[in-house]
Amino acid sequence: MSVEMKLAKGEARCPNAPSTQEIIASDKVAAPSWVRSESYQFLGDEDISTERYYEEDFARREYQNLWTRTWQFACREEHVPEVGDYYVYDIGRKSFIITRVAENEVRAYYNACLHRGTKLRASGTDGCASEFKCVFHGWTWNLDGSLQKAQCDWDFPHVKAEEFSLPQAKVQVLAGFVFINMDHNAQPLESYLGDEFMSHLNAWKLEDRYVHCHVSKIIPANWKLTMEAFMEAYHVIETHPQVAVSNADANSQYDFYGEHVDRFISPLGVISPHLAGQYTEQEIFDQFTIGDSGGVNTSQQLGENDTARAAMAVMFRNMFEEASGSDLSHVSDSELLDCFSYTVFPNMFVFAGISLPMVYRFRPVADDHRKTLFEVFFLRPLPKSGERPYPAEQQHMADDQSFVDAEDMDDGFGVILDQDTENLTLQQQGVEASAKKGLTLGNYQEIRIRHFERAVEKYVAE
């Protein structure tokens, strides 16, 4: 009798291989409770319809019902550190000026003049301002959003200044991130994320990190399809064979927390079950290639009883302490090594570990829902001095450029991003060409995709 027949749906795991929790339990520096938590349940095995990835009407309903009612990561606090600093965030055709109006207050103004609609600040810009003035006719708003000047106000007796303040989106600052929501009746961000995830987020102290590298690229695939390429480790053995030697891909753990958050934990420094018995611990150590690993010294010779994972933990602790000037003695081996990937619905990934200190953001391109603006932010710990470096400028890669070409991008990880995104051109074309009108998902390894698409369906249907 097969494993599938013995177990209930969703209970099957990689056979004859240790679980993520079993791997982590043998680490020298123990993992905290947020690492050791598990939260999975079977969500069904029906196909996911493919029309959502290419139909214009589905994209229209997303803009109408999803993007207008969800919390979105707009920028980091360090992008607007001083009063008057601003950062323009766009989602589709909507545009917002994120600005600090007081020491402890950040606002998000709709980025349009209330006279004849001209953008007050160009998309993709940031800076510092004492007012927001329209370049077309000179209408001007104060930093607090109140109308300062209507040019030739004698011709606008019907314009009442108290009714012409700049409209705002709802704003919350959390863990160093500025989130916005166009729905003023939206639940608080903490409720949206849920208590369990909030306990994880609070443990990470991401407010004590800074943007070390920010890279973007247009991907020729729908935003949901692009996100889903990063939601599972199932593809590693085929797409990233160079990683599988030191990535326990099929051992990965999958969880979800409430409606808007899910994650996987993929243990590193452990060989893929697909390659079990084919490499020594020394070879696993020597072939490590993932994450923010510039400066990794793989010339070390392991002792007879040493494991690659334990040796990597020691090496990473020393390397990251030296590179960042931070004290990481309290950080577990798992946090130093493993890939912790959390999806925060609708379009943000948070990687909570130290070797992959990243955030991903995915946005549909306004004039083509078959394309995605994909961004990668590397967030490094603040130096011991506590002085916050300026956030890195965004580097936008051309269609034919490799992620490896980005300044401060780890070469090994740049190759991984190239491999991931190269698959997406064929997948977008395939879902449109296929006679089969649905995607068939694994019950466990692809649960994040099903969980994510459930949330999409909920918002689009309302």
Side-chain angles (χ1 to χ4, degrees):
M1 183 180 289
S2 69
V3 170
E4 289 76 9
M5 293 176 65
K6 290 179 179 177
L7 298 175
K9 288 183 177 181
E11 290 187 2
R13 302 292 183 271
C14 183
N16 304 316
S19 70
T20 289
Q21 292 302 320
E22 288 170 334
I23 292 169
I24 290 172
S26 7
D27 289 339
K28 182 177 180 181
V29 181
S33 59
W34 68 264
V35 173
R36 300 194 307 271
S37 68
E38 294 186 75
S39 181
Y40 166 87
Q41 67 183 57
F42 177 65
L43 293 180
D45 54 14
E46 302 82 7
D47 278 3
I48 301 294
S49 66
T50 54
E51 62 186 16
R52 68 192 63 204
Y53 302 111
Y54 56 82
E55 279 198 351
E56 290 185 12
D57 183 62
F58 200 93
R60 178 190 61 79
R61 286 184 284 144
E62 286 176 345
Y63 280 124
Q64 179 177 310
N65 297 334
L66 189 157
W67 295 108
T68 58
R69 296 191 296 126
T70 51
W71 284 101
Q72 299 163 50
F73 156 50
C75 66
R76 289 279 295 174
E77 272 203 279
E78 63 253 39
H79 287 119
V80 288
E82 304 293 336
V83 172
D85 290 345
Y86 69 86
Y87 185 99
V88 176
Y89 172 76
D90 292 349
I91 178 62
R93 294 182 175 89
K94 297 293 186 184
S95 183
F96 299 89
I97 300 172
I98 315 300
T99 186
R100 186 174 294 279
V101 300
E103 182 180 356
N104 296 312
E105 184 179 4
V106 176
R107 293 186 181 178
Y109 297 125
Y110 282 78
N111 186 15
C113 176
L114 299 183
H115 170 223
R116 282 169 57 186
T118 305
K119 276 188 175 179
L120 296 173
R121 287 293 184 273
S123 294
T125 63
D126 55 33
C128 187
S130 58
E131 61 187 19
F132 296 110
K133 183 176 183 179
C134 178
V135 297
F136 196 179
H137 297 96
W139 285 47
T140 306
W141 282 264
N142 296 310
L143 199 60
D144 67 3
S146 60
L147 179 63
Q148 179 190 122
K149 176 183 179 181
Q151 194 78 267
C152 297
D153 58 0
W154 53 265
D155 203 19
F156 296 87
H158 47 295
V159 170
K160 297 177 175 57
E162 62 271 18
E163 297 175 357
F164 261 68
S165 293
L166 291 175
Q168 300 177 44
K170 198 170 182 177
V171 175
Q172 277 196 245
V173 177
L174 183 66
F177 298 97
V178 178
F179 288 86
I180 69 167
N181 194 321
M182 290 176 247
D183 180 6
H184 280 274
N185 294 317
Q187 61 185 307
L189 179 57
E190 293 86 352
S191 301
Y192 178 89
L193 297 175
D195 292 343
E196 179 71 18
F197 175 68
M198 283 300 303
S199 70
H200 296 200
L201 182 64
N202 290 335
W204 304 335
K205 304 298 181 186
L206 296 183
E207 61 271 21
D208 295 332
R209 296 192 189 184
Y210 70 97
V211 179
H212 170 72
C213 178
H214 179 190
V215 182
S216 65
K217 191 174 186 179
I218 300 294
I219 307 301
N222 180 268
W223 70 280
K224 299 182 297 300
L225 212 61
T226 305
M227 285 185 67
E228 290 162 12
F230 298 91
M231 288 184 181
E232 37 80 8
Y234 179 45
H235 69 281
V236 168
I237 192 65
E238 189 65 31
T239 300
H240 311 302
Q242 80 279 15
V243 169
V245 178
S246 58
N247 184 326
D249 50 359
N251 303 80
S252 297
Q253 175 180 314
Y254 297 84
D255 304 291
F256 57 90
Y257 304 98
E259 290 186 297
H260 300 118
V261 180
D262 54 50
R263 78 167 178 186
F264 74 55
I265 307 175
S266 198
L268 304 187
V270 181
I271 195 164
S272 165
H274 297 286
L275 304 176
Q278 298 181 35
Y279 294 85
T280 65
E281 290 294 320
Q282 183 69 55
E283 289 169 328
I284 295 169
F285 181 84
D286 291 344
Q287 294 191 49
F288 173 82
T289 171
I290 192 168
D292 193 11
S293 56
V296 167
N297 174 18
T298 56
S299 61
Q300 177 181 335
Q301 294 300 304
L302 304 187
E304 183 178 353
N305 298 317
D306 291 340
T307 66
R309 181 174 172 87
M312 283 181 189
V314 172
M315 179 180 66
F316 269 44
R317 195 180 308 279
N318 294 335
M319 182 185 77
F320 288 132
E321 284 186 339
E322 182 177 348
S324 67
S326 302
D327 178 9
L328 302 177
S329 59
H330 61 289
V331 177
S332 69
D333 293 357
S334 180
E335 292 169 274
L336 284 168
L337 291 175
D338 296 333
C339 177
F340 298 92
S341 169
Y342 288 74
T343 308
V344 176
F345 190 83
N347 65 329
M348 179 187 189
F349 279 39
V350 180
F351 292 77
I354 303 297
S355 67
L356 285 165
M358 303 181 306
V359 171
Y360 290 166
R361 182 167 62 189
F362 304 80
R363 288 180 279 174
V365 172
D367 58 357
D368 190 346
H369 61 279
R370 289 178 170 90
K371 293 183 179 179
T372 300
L373 175 61
F374 171 44
E375 296 170 89
V376 181
F377 302 78
F378 274 90
L379 302 182
R380 284 191 172 176
L382 292 179
K384 283 182 181 177
S385 66
E387 184 176 348
R388 183 178 294 276
Y390 287 109
E393 293 289 330
Q394 179 178 342
Q395 303 173 67
H396 187 71
M397 314 306 289
D399 292 351
D400 59 350
Q401 273 189 293
S402 166
F403 280 97
V404 174
D405 295 338
E407 185 178 352
D408 292 322
M409 173 67 72
D410 177 81
D411 286 350
F413 193 70
V415 169
I416 290 169
L417 290 176
D418 287 342
Q419 292 170 329
D420 280 322
T421 52
E422 284 165 4
N423 286 337
L424 286 160
T425 300
L426 293 176
Q427 191 181 19
Q428 181 68 44
Q429 293 170 350
V431 295
E432 298 188 41
S434 178
K436 181 174 177 285
K437 299 303 181 183
L439 307 184
T440 300
L441 304 178
N443 291 338
Y444 185 67
Q445 293 182 93
E446 294 173 312
I447 189 62
R448 293 176 78 195
I449 297 173
R450 188 174 298 282
H451 180 253
F452 168 73
E453 287 296 349
R454 275 194 165 196
V456 170
E457 289 172 355
K458 173 194 168 183
Y459 280 93
V460 169
E462 292 180 354

